[in-house]
Amino acid sequence: MKVITVGLLGLGTVGGGTVNVLKHNAEEISRRCGYQIRVGHASARDITKARICDTSDIQLTTDPAAVVTHPDVDVVVELIGGDTLALEMVLLAIEHGKHVVTANKALIARHGSRIFAAASERGVMVAYEAAVAGGIPIIKALREGLAGNRIEWLAGIINGTGNFILTEMREKGRDFADVLREAQQLGYAEADPTFDVEGIDAAHKLTILASIAFGIPLSFSSVNTEGITKITREDVRNAEELGYRIKHLGIARRTDAGIELRVHPTLIPATQLIANVNGVMNAVLVKGSAVGPTLYYGAGAGSNATASAVVADIIDVARALNVPAELRIPALGFQPQELANTTLLPMDAVESYYYLRMAVTDERGVLAAITKILGDNDISIEALIQKAHPEGELTTPLVMLTHKVLEGAMNRAIAEIERLPSIHGQVLRIRTEPLQ
Ligand code: NDP
Ligand code: HSE
């Protein structure tokens, strides 16, 4: 049987998992693709470090360029992360006519257009299934399985670390920082975990999903991004009381005016399947014009789960080796010249329902003043909870759900409410999505 030699850049959580999955499932993989796939060369910062995989039959180096340019290497698998060295190595691989597999969403979201153009010119493939939602084959589902549809919208829990934190806060009342530390130990978090908790990682992934769903250029800077750091255990409990769960969602929606791209904590009705996706699991809900809503679920991070997607890409490359470049599946699912510069909507033009939480002085007329401001901005209230005045505290928490309103109107109303003398601190707002 013919052999394909992989050059692996990175032997950490995903790199180690990739070696393990290739080894454990070697026979099944060969039966599927008709090649024996072996990792011949690998690089890491410290090649003396103990690894989660057996590296005894791999030639190790600290120099990733030596792996990329080694004449035996057919496919370069980039699992370093970041977009400096990783970008340099991916472009070097393409320049040397090597196919590339990567799990690096930051790289694809920020530099994908340049990378795909270089790959297309050189006639090589760049595969990136593991870059979105870990082990869930969502790229393949969108690019191939749903290719007959006009995608109307998609919404997903696409950061495992964030979902793990929100789940542990809700189920066990655990502290944010403590759960984040555990996610880091489990290998779920990014090298810089602010990418996870501030929504940047999810924004990278949404950029990629939106591009494939709507056939638009990768537009990372247009994603409105909000993380989960302002969510308290109190919000998690309030949401529960109102019949909702708080999830960190990436949402891409086609409207008549343009495309919405946003990542933020969201209240979802507790009865929705996606509201019950917990821990490190991810899920993406996609609404296609022909098929209707479809849901994809699985592990969003972790060694073997992510390696499952990396290995699937290596197999795809092997299978396509003898297919002419023009007949292969385009990197973003649409022919490159067909990517359309559709209007991307500013956040002010996005319509949403809202959960609002504020701390008010418990005195006559406060509620009337707040409801007047909301009314003046055309915002109507759907539900309201005023908790009993906590003993020894100066303020009382006031929580409300609104009907649908433009973000711009909500911003104006919140600014006015925050100026009321009876309001203490900032008004916390979480958008609410019925996901219908
Ligand atoms: P790790 O930090 O676990 O591994 C990174 C690897 O790259 C390490 O082996 C490290 O070497 C090596 N490396 C880092 N810097 C250099 C350098 N300057 N020169 C040579 N080698 C270097 O990261 P992950 O495996 O978690 O992530 C890899 C990629 O996969 C990232 O793009 C990430 O976003 C993505 N991803 C991660 C998932 C996960 O669950 N962890 C899920 C989906 C995608 P050494 O070990 O010696 O330090
Ligand atoms: N840090 C990422 C997450 C890894 O937690 O989802 C998977 O992309």
Side-chain angles (χ1 to χ4, degrees):
M1 187 179 283
K2 283 182 282 183
V3 175
I4 285 184
T5 302
V6 168
L8 191 59
L9 311 183
L11 278 167
T13 304
V14 186
T18 300
V19 174
N20 285 333
V21 172
L22 281 171
K23 266 204 182 125
H24 296 156
N25 301 336
E27 198 187 322
E28 207 70 348
I29 290 169
S30 299
R31 287 176 60 212
R32 287 206 165 106
C33 70
Y35 288 91
Q36 188 196 330
I37 298 173
R38 63 176 272 271
V39 179
H41 302 262
S43 68
R45 264 179 305 217
D46 176 359
I47 55 171
T48 63
K49 211 189 218 176
R51 297 288 167 186
I52 56 169
C53 59
D54 174 13
T55 56
S56 56
D57 55 350
I58 304 174
Q59 191 134 7
L60 299 180
T61 171
T62 54
D63 178 10
V67 173
V68 169
T69 55
H70 196 288
D72 286 354
V73 168
D74 304 297
V75 185
V76 172
V77 178
E78 184 280 307
L79 299 171
I80 297 174
D83 66 344
T84 47
L85 179 62
L87 175 62
E88 201 188 309
M89 289 304 113
V90 164
L91 292 175
L92 184 68
I94 293 169
E95 192 187 314
H96 281 75
K98 311 279 172 92
H99 302 286
V100 174
V101 171
T102 180
N104 192 332
K105 47 273 166 144
L107 181 74
I108 298 298
R110 291 169 191 258
H111 305 285
S113 310
R114 180 175 168 198
I115 292 170
F116 298 145
S120 157
E121 201 163 297
R122 202 66 178 78
V124 296
M125 284 171 273
V126 176
Y128 54 90
E129 180 65 69
V132 183
I136 307 175
I138 185 65
I139 306 284
K140 201 174 268 284
L142 271 174
R143 209 166 50 177
E144 298 169 47
L146 298 178
N149 288 260
R150 187 169 195 269
I151 304 300
E152 294 171 7
W153 57 265
L154 61 87
I157 297 171
I158 46 180
N159 182 268
T161 302
N163 201 41
F164 182 64
I165 294 173
L166 289 176
T167 304
E168 292 287 303
M169 280 170 73
R170 184 178 68 82
E171 288 183 353
K172 302 179 190 154
R174 285 179 67 190
D175 183 57
F176 188 101
D178 170 43
V179 191
L180 174 58
R181 253 191 312 277
E182 190 183 341
Q184 287 177 286
Q185 282 155 10
L186 290 166
Y188 300 157
E190 294 302 297
D192 176 356
T194 56
F195 275 46
D196 295 290
V197 297
E198 295 298 354
I200 301 160
D201 178 73
H204 287 148
K205 292 165 177 168
L206 188 74
T207 302
I208 298 170
L209 288 179
S211 202
I212 301 170
F214 306 129
I216 55 173
L218 294 155
S219 319
F220 171 66
S221 58
S222 302
V223 182
N224 191 281
T225 305
E226 218 176 88
I228 56 168
T229 47
K230 287 188 193 138
I231 306 295
T232 63
R233 274 182 279 181
E234 188 191 351
D235 296 314
V236 173
R237 271 195 307 270
N238 289 336
E240 197 97 358
E241 217 172 292
L242 291 159
Y244 291 84
R245 294 269 165 84
I246 301 179
K247 292 290 173 191
H248 191 233
L249 288 192
I251 300 172
R253 193 192 306 271
R254 204 198 281 270
T255 73
D256 291 342
I259 289 172
E260 295 171 12
L261 295 178
R262 49 198 171 102
V263 162
H264 50 69
T266 315
L267 261 74
I268 317 174
T271 47
Q272 283 274 356
L273 275 175
I274 199 168
N276 296 287
V277 171
N278 292 320
V280 75
M281 304 310 272
N282 280 191
V284 186
L285 190 52
V286 183
K287 171 88 190 304
S289 57
V291 70
T294 56
L295 181 65
Y296 307 85
Y297 169 84
S303 185
N304 282 354
T306 310
S308 158
V310 172
V311 171
D313 272 350
I314 300 173
I315 294 171
D316 269 358
V317 169
R319 283 172 171 156
L321 277 181
N322 299 319
V323 176
E326 65 278 9
L327 297 182
R328 293 181 198 144
I329 296 160
L332 290 171
F334 286 73
Q335 297 301 329
Q337 69 279 8
E338 295 297 334
L339 294 181
N341 278 312
T342 314
T343 306
L344 301 176
L345 289 179
M347 201 57 193
D348 269 10
V350 169
E351 269 192 321
S352 202
Y353 304 81
Y354 288 84
Y355 159 100
L356 303 176
R357 172 171 58 76
M358 58 200 90
V360 304
T361 311
D362 194 5
E363 61 191 14
R364 197 178 312 163
V366 179
L367 199 55
I370 295 168
T371 49
K372 177 169 187 322
I373 292 174
L374 292 174
D376 288 350
N377 284 284
D378 237 358
I379 302 170
S380 68
I381 299 171
E382 189 197 324
L384 190 139
I385 313 176
Q386 184 167 12
K387 299 267 167 101
H389 191 146
E391 214 168 300
E393 302 240 343
L394 282 174
T395 60
T396 301
L398 184 66
V399 173
M400 53 183 75
L401 286 183
T402 74
H403 285 285
K404 210 175 207 180
V405 54
L406 275 174
E407 175 100 3
M410 182 51 84
N411 287 340
R412 283 190 296 278
I414 288 178
E416 282 181 55
I417 291 172
E418 284 176 347
R419 281 198 294 271
L420 291 174
S422 44
I423 297 293
H424 295 249
Q426 290 184 322
V427 175
L428 179 101
R429 126 255 312 264
I430 307 178
R431 295 165 192 92
T432 303
E433 284 289 332
L435 295 180
Q436 301 292 351

